[in-house]
């Protein structure tokens, strides 16, 4: 298991990238009912689905096809998007799903929602093709993506032509992260789903290690002056210390009485507040959604399209997109 204490690097978060969800920016410098659902079991590492699950695995093979780079294919029609969402959500919701299928389903779910967010003309058709219990969940995920995307450039020519000087690393296991969120929830009264949603948006659960122009650091993206207030002498790069600091900051900003106001102090943009809230509330209604989100990957939005930066990506300086794609083959 990877050590909690990483090398001291600064992290830019997903704001500059239009990545996982479309973005978030660095925390603000100012100061900032707690009952969550029961714990979500970790996916069994070797367990196989029952008869119904076997059909889901077959569906994964057929529906969630990969591109040459290994990423799930982007749906090219509303029907394909609805099918990809339906299959992926069913796999994630099944407690018998093994870890490999869960990872694939989470990434495929992410790609489908990103695609749908860019195609509002598909909304009505996709909604009509989804089973009724899934419609709100899908709509909320798409709305979150659109909220984060609204924080960034809308014209291709204003998007990046280079990929960032980041390292993409394996995140801590979902079960371990959930225990850290729940510990912060008990201490500070901040629902664990909101801490998880912030972690998802800021660094894809700690996958991103890189450099921030604004100097934001660590998996929960604190700038040094804010860390001095809420870090309690801890290590900004340590997930446990960073998650506790986020809970401490949100409590100080009256999360219990004014949740939106506290989130706004974490990142002062109303679209950020909306996106984080949507993802957190999805997890509150459907706890296993956390496991799907945990599988979401880093996608960097450029003028050449959305580029998947898989775990193992490591660049010491920005690299032109065309050069990266040619090197990857």
């Amino acid at each position: 298991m990877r050590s909690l204490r990483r090398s001291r690097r600064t992290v830019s978060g997903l704001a500059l990238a239009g990545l996982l969800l479309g973005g978030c920016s660095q925390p603000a410098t100012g100061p900032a009912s707690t009952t969550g659902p029961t714990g979500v079991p970790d996916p069994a590492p070797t367990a196989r689905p029952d008869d119904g699950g076997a059909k889901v695995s077959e569906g994964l093979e057929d529906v969630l096809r990969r591109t040459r780079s290994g990423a799930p294919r982007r749906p090219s029609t509303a029907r394909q998007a609805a099918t990809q969402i339906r299959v992926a959500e069913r796999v994630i919701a099944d407690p018998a799903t093994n870890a490999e299928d869960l990872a694939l389903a989470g990434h495929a779910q992410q790609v489908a929602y990103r695609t749908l967010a860019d195609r509002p003309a598909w909304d009505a058709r996709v909604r009509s093709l989804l089973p009724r219990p899934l419609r709100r969940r899908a709509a909320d995920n798409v709305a979150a993506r659109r909220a984060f995307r609204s924080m960034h450039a809308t014209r291709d020519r204003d998007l990046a032509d280079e990929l960032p000087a980041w390292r993409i690393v394996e995140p801590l296991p979902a079960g371990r992260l959930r225990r850290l969120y729940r510990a912060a929830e008990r201490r500070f009264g901040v629902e664990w789903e909101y801490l998880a949603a912030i972690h998802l948006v800021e660094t894809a659960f700690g996958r991103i290690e890189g450099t921030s122009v604004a100097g934001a650091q660590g998996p929960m993206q604190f700038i040094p002056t804010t860390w001095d207030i809420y870090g309690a002498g801890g290590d900004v790069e340590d997930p446990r210390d960073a998650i506790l600091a986020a809970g401490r900051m949100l409590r100080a900003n009256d999360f219990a009485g004014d949740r939106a106001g506290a989130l706004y102090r974490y990142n002062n943009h109303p679209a950020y507040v909306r996106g984080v809230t949507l993802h957190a509330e999805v997890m509150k209604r459907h706890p296993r959604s956390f496991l799907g989100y945990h599988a979401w990957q880093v996608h960097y939005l450029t003028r050449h399209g959305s580029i998947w930066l898989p775990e193992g990506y490591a660049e010491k300086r920005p690299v032109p997109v065309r050069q990266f794609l040619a090197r990857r083959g």
Side-chain angles (χ1 to χ4, degrees), residues 255-284:
F255 180 88
D258 182 9
R259 180 180 296 159
L263 292 172
Y264 188 83
R265 296 301 298 273
Y266 204 98
N267 184 309
N268 57 351
H269 198 299
Y272 180 89
V273 175
R274 174 166 168 74
V276 166
T277 299
L278 284 165
H279 282 306
E281 293 299 316
V282 166
M283 286 186 277
K284 288 177 70 174

Side-chain angles (χ1 to χ4, degrees), residues 59 89 100 104 106 108 115 135 164 209 226 232 269 292 304 311-312:
E89 290 281 5
E100 182 179 0
L104 175 58
T115 303
R135 291 174 185 173
E209 292 182 351
T226 311
H269 198 299
H304 304 283
E311 292 166 18

Side-chain angles (χ1 to χ4, degrees), residues 302-313:
T302 77
R303 66 182 63 175
H304 304 283
S306 182
I307 309 299
W308 176 34
L309 306 184
E311 292 166 18
Y313 172 92

